[in-house]
Each structure stands twice: as structure tokens, then as C-alpha cells.
Amino acid sequence: MNKQIPSYLKLVTDTVNETPTVASEDLAALVDVFQAFEQATRWRLEFAAGPAPDANPSLMWSAPVNPGVGASPGHIRLLSIDDATAGGPSPISWHQAAAVGEALGKLWGELLATRTALRQREAELASGVPVTLHEKDPAPPLGDRLEAVLKAGAEAVGCQAAALYLLDAATTELKLRSSWGLPQKRLTDAARPLRGAVADLEALLGHAVVLTDGQLHDYWKVPEVSFASCVCVPVSSPTIPLGTLWAFCTQPREFSDAQTNIIEVVAGRLAADLERPVLVEEALWARDQTKQLAALERSQQDQLPVASPVIAGWEIAARAYHAGPIGGTFYDCFALEGGGLSLLAGDALAHGLEGAMTAGALRAAARAFRHHRKKPQLFVERANSILWTTSAGNAGAGLFHAMLDPGADTLVFSTGGPMRVLAVSADGHTALAIPTRPLGLDEQQRTHAIRRQFRPHELLLVYGTTFMSDSDELILGALDQRLALSLEPRLTLPAEQLIEIAGEILQTYAAREPSDRVLMLVKRRDR
């Protein structure tokens, strides 16, 4: 036996009209085209609204207009007209006229789709208007604003009271937060349990509950039983339900669809007022954070060497790529006491702000010891100690440190952490250093120096491996092979061109999500 819904209860659901309507101004230009077409061809084109054209003995052809979204608003159809009225037979056949009509229908469909896209775009731009808070002209307190909205909404639909009930954090209770037309002591009442509140639960599902008299107030758990009729609608944000809005009337009565819609609009206004303080605070916080990130981005860019270092017998190029405005990669170079050049490339495990802090610590340590000509492994070990002592043990990084003397043919370097070093010559390639445990995760980490003699056009390629989702030796070996095959035939090119080639290859091996990458290339010049 089906349960009958009583006449004094009405559930109002949202309905969407999937068939778009065409305004008269949208048809004005099309009517002019149709008239010109009829005068030139003595065939009549017209627009018929609706999903299917009406029966017409003069109908020769018909095709729906495709608006790009939703159902078709109507058809363009071709009609024959009397020769006497038209002034003679048509100069073209109906097949040719239908082809023109079809082209016009497609053109108008594209116009409708463009207008729909423009409407959506304008709404998106409206949502991007900056949210500001004027301190000199503060808005009324939130309580006063909510009560004013409740009063205006209730009076608009002829009700004598209205109440706003909001869910608690656990979504188990509904508490009266604001009201109009009810005693102020209601605000001190205990929260109503959501369990068993049939009308509130139905409203939170997206239905407006309308009770036209008091016969079922007890069953639907109406919070104010002294009123004869009432309406309950949901109050929600675009993502989560916030509570319910009740409008109460002292007399038994019906509520029209228009009145129910007004109450739903009031509920939307209440939701906007509830979210506004949060949105303002988030907007101001985001604006401040954007400024700080922009300043940090400029600082990171300013600290990178402006031009490639110049040293007799060598060419040097380097790149640092960040997934976002800031990142955890860097490279640097500086002169040593007594001549020579010190080269650095760093790659932090973390990205973003955390990675930038780790990279900044490594750079600062390098600058502090830049005038001391010591073994390269000593600085790598010192960097490990600095990261270990200045963090909570989670600031892991990789570091490459090399020393070059002018005119020499030998390079001395040391690495620690996720750094890969590859020697490439016309005879092939050799992996000189492989990734190890990141610096900064252990109190002590021993490294050693590698001395390598380079022939003319032979190069040293250094890259961090944190950009890869899986940096095991098999994958790294395949990457080394591809780098070597791409660079070996081009060793006579300048270092700046070679590093661009290597950078594109590394990008193809990067993880799916954007990641930080550091790359350095040191090439021996031809004598």
C-alpha cells in the first residue's frame, strides 16, 4: 500500500529547465537574415521554438539549432511560398536553400554557445572581485544583519516569525542562532537533536518542507508549535550544509512556489552573511601570503648568478627549475683565495617554502666559508652538520661542490645526497657519483673527493634526482644513456646550448606532478 502524502504537506524540489529559451532580441538579427534570404531566393526560412517543428504542409526541410549546451531551443525550417505571391519561381532548388538554412543554423548555434560561455565567464569574473574590509565604515554586527534578513524575508511572504538553526561541528544538533518574531529567551534553549528532526532532515536533503496547518507538527518535529503553518528550507554553502531556516505563520495557509523561492533566496543570503567574515579573513590572509611569496621569489632569483662564471679553460652553465614560484633548488659560484672557482648545486627533498628554507640554509653556509680553499668534501660534511643541527631532522638535501683552477685540466668535486654526476665524452659516458642518503638526516655523513682529468670538449653533467618519482639505479642508468646519446654528437656546442638539451631530457623523466630540478654543466674548452 503506497503512503499518501496529505494535502496539508508539500515538498518543493528544485527543478532545472534543460531547454533554453530564446529571447526576442536574440531573434532580431536572425529575422533580418531570413527576410533577406526570402527576397533573394523566394524560399522562406523561419525559426520554430520547441523540441520539434509543428506540422505544416509547406514544410520542405527542418533542422534543430545546437546551442552547444543543453537541449535545442528550436528548429530552423524551410517553407515553400506561393509563386504568385513571391513574384515567380525560385532561382535555386529547395536542396540548395536547405543547405543555406543548415549553415545559418550552425552559425546561430555557435553564437548561442558563445553567449552561454560569456555568461559563465562573466560569473567567474564576478567571483574574482577582491574582498575588502573597510575599517572606517564597518558593517553592522553579524547578529543585527541576520535578524534584519530574517525580518525582511518573513514579511515578504506574510509570516510573523523566522528562525535560523545551525548545525554543530559534529552535525548532530541544531542550535537556534538568530530569530525574528520569537522571544529572545529562545536563544538560551538547548540545541535540538538532528536525529528525529524529520522536517530539518528533509530540508537538508535539498527539499523545502511546507506545512499548511498544525496537524502534523509533532510528527515533523516543528520547533515552534504555537504557529499554524510554516516552511523549512536548507541553509547551505556550495559545498556543505549549514543548517535550516524556518518561517512561521499564525494562520493556516498555503505557500506558493514564488513565496517558497523567496524563502530559499533568504536562506542563500543568510549563508553568504555567515561565510563573509571567513571569506574576508581568508582573502586578506591570502593577499598577504601572495606578497610574501612574491618577495621570496624575487629574493631567490636575485641570489642566482646573473651571468655564467668565466674561468680560463672551462665553460660553465647551470639551471634551477621550480615547480612553483619558489622551490628548493639553487646553484652558485664564487672565487677562492689565491684564484680558482668554487661551484655549488643544491637540491632539497622538500619543495615550495620548506624547500626554499633548506636551500637558503645551504647557500648561506656556502657563502660563509667561500674564502677558504679546503677539500670539497669538508664543506659537504659541514653542510650535513648545519642541516642536522638547525632542523628537526627533516631538512634533507643533496649537494654538489667542485673546485676549478684557471687553465687546469683537472676538476675536484664531492657530492652528498640525491645528486648524480656524469662525465660525457666522444668515447662514451661514465657515472662518477650516484645518489646517497640525503644530507641533514644523520648527525654525521662521510664523503670523499673525486679528482677527474678532462680532455677538450669533455664535460661534467650534474643533476639532482628528487624530481623523479623513483630514482633507482636502473632508471638513472637509462636516463644517463639518453643524456649521453643526445650530448655526445654535440660536444662542440657552447655549454649554454648543451644544458638546454639536457634540461629538456630531464623534463621527460620528471614525475607527473611539477617538481624542482637543478642542473649544472662544466665543459673543458678546446686548447
Side-chain angles (χ1 to χ4, degrees):
M1 178 177 181
N2 295 330
K3 182 178 180 181
Q4 299 295 324
I5 298 178
S7 59
Y8 43 78
L9 171 67
K10 182 168 62 173
L11 298 180
V12 181
T13 59
D14 294 333
T15 58
V16 179
N17 183 14
E18 297 184 354
T19 302
T21 57
V22 180
S24 57
E25 58 269 19
D26 293 336
L27 288 171
L30 195 64
V31 170
D32 293 339
V33 174
F34 288 169
Q35 291 177 351
F37 179 83
E38 182 177 345
Q39 293 175 0
T41 66
R42 302 187 185 94
W43 289 101
R44 178 176 299 166
L45 283 175
E46 66 178 22
F47 174 77
D54 297 332
N56 191 317
S58 301
L59 179 64
M60 304 295 296
W61 168 89
S62 176
V65 176
N66 180 16
V69 290
S72 173
H75 287 63
I76 287 182
R77 57 186 186 177
L78 180 69
L79 303 174
S80 62
I81 57 178
D82 184 61
D83 291 346
T85 304
S90 173
I92 63 175
S93 67
W94 76 269
H95 296 284
Q96 295 172 316
V100 176
E102 184 177 6
L104 288 175
K106 292 180 179 179
L107 184 62
W108 195 44
E110 292 180 2
L111 177 61
L112 293 178
T114 302
R115 288 177 175 174
T116 301
L118 178 63
R119 175 175 173 270
Q120 296 297 332
R121 180 59 176 166
E122 291 297 328
E124 292 173 0
L125 291 175
S127 66
V129 174
V131 180
T132 58
L133 184 63
H134 299 281
E135 297 180 356
K136 295 183 180 180
D137 187 19
L142 179 59
D144 294 346
R145 297 204 307 271
L146 295 179
E147 186 172 342
V149 173
L150 290 173
K151 177 182 178 181
E155 291 179 343
V157 296
C159 288
Q160 288 71 48
L164 172 64
Y165 296 88
L166 296 182
L167 291 164
D168 62 347
T171 65
T172 59
E173 294 180 330
L174 286 162
K175 180 68 174 66
L176 179 65
R177 297 301 182 185
S178 183
S179 66
W180 174 78
L182 298 179
Q184 291 294 327
K185 66 179 182 179
R186 289 287 194 275
L187 295 172
T188 63
D189 293 347
R192 297 187 294 120
L194 182 61
R195 184 182 180 88
V198 183
D200 295 277
L201 288 170
E202 189 70 35
L204 290 173
L205 291 176
H207 304 150
V209 179
V210 179
L211 296 170
T212 58
D213 58 38
Q215 295 186 35
L216 290 180
H217 281 192
D218 182 63
Y219 172 78
W220 288 91
K221 296 296 185 292
V222 176
E224 297 292 333
V225 295
S226 59
F227 292 91
S229 57
C230 56
V231 180
C232 178
V233 299
V235 178
S236 62
S237 71
T239 55
I240 58 173
L242 302 177
T244 55
L245 167 64
W246 286 82
F248 303 100
C249 187
T250 56
Q251 301 295 328
R253 52 167 290 189
E254 294 283 348
F255 288 88
S256 66
D257 291 341
Q259 291 173 330
T260 305
N261 290 337
I262 290 175
I263 299 175
E264 290 177 340
V265 170
V266 172
R269 168 63 189 274
L270 292 172
D273 280 343
L274 291 172
E275 290 191 318
R276 183 179 182 276
V278 178
L279 293 175
V280 170
E281 183 178 353
E282 289 182 351
L284 296 177
W285 180 86
R287 185 172 59 187
D288 182 62
Q289 295 299 310
T290 300
K291 292 181 179 179
Q292 295 185 34
L293 289 176
L296 182 55
E297 180 183 5
R298 291 193 299 270
S299 176
Q300 279 198 315
Q301 292 296 327
D302 293 342
Q303 290 178 9
L304 294 176
V306 178
S308 299
V310 178
I311 184 170
W314 301 89
E315 292 182 32
I316 302 169
R319 297 288 187 272
Y321 308 93
H322 293 157
I326 58 177
T329 60
F330 77 97
Y331 60 89
D332 204 352
C333 62
F334 44 83
L336 297 170
E337 288 183 350
L341 195 66
S342 180
L343 303 176
L344 288 169
D347 189 3
L349 294 182
H351 299 162
L353 181 59
E354 186 179 356
M357 295 173 63
T358 302
L362 288 175
R363 185 195 302 273
R367 287 290 177 175
F369 296 96
R370 64 178 180 173
H371 296 302
H372 299 278
R373 177 183 280 276
K374 296 182 179 180
K375 297 178 180 179
Q377 70 270 26
L378 296 180
F379 174 69
V380 176
E381 294 174 359
R382 179 66 61 88
N384 177 78
S385 177
I386 291 173
L387 293 181
W388 171 262
T389 56
T390 58
S391 70
N394 58 352
L399 184 66
F400 166 83
H401 182 213
M403 292 183 179
L404 280 174
D405 287 324
D409 59 359
T410 301
L411 182 146
V412 183
F413 69 92
S414 180
T415 64
M419 302 296 293
R420 185 82 167 181
V421 182
L422 189 67
V424 182
S425 67
D427 299 331
H429 67 281
T430 305
L432 302 181
I434 61 176
T436 62
R437 183 169 173 79
L439 302 177
L441 302 187
D442 297 317
E443 185 175 2
Q444 292 184 348
Q445 184 165 336
R446 297 298 180 186
T447 60
H448 60 280
I450 299 176
R451 182 180 297 271
R452 171 69 184 242
Q453 186 177 15
F454 286 81
R455 294 172 295 175
H457 299 305
E458 190 175 6
L459 61 84
L460 184 81
L461 185 65
V462 182
Y463 62 91
T465 61
T466 61
F467 72 92
M468 302 179 65
S469 58
D470 186 5
S471 57
D472 61 27
E473 188 63 28
L474 183 62
I475 296 178
L476 289 174
L479 176 55
D480 290 347
Q481 182 73 22
R482 183 171 178 184
L483 287 168
L485 291 176
S486 299
L487 297 177
E488 286 173 8
R490 302 177 175 88
L491 292 177
T492 56
L493 295 177
E496 288 292 336
Q497 295 184 25
L498 292 173
I499 200 170
E500 292 294 338
I501 297 173
E504 293 178 0
I505 295 174
L506 291 183
Q507 172 63 30
T508 62
Y509 275 76
R512 290 184 178 179
E513 65 276 2
S515 56
D516 298 346
R517 304 185 306 281
V518 66
L519 182 63
M520 178 173 283
L521 188 145
V522 184
K523 176 188 172 184
R524 177 78 189 282
R525 290 180 184 272
D526 191 6
R527 294 183 182 273

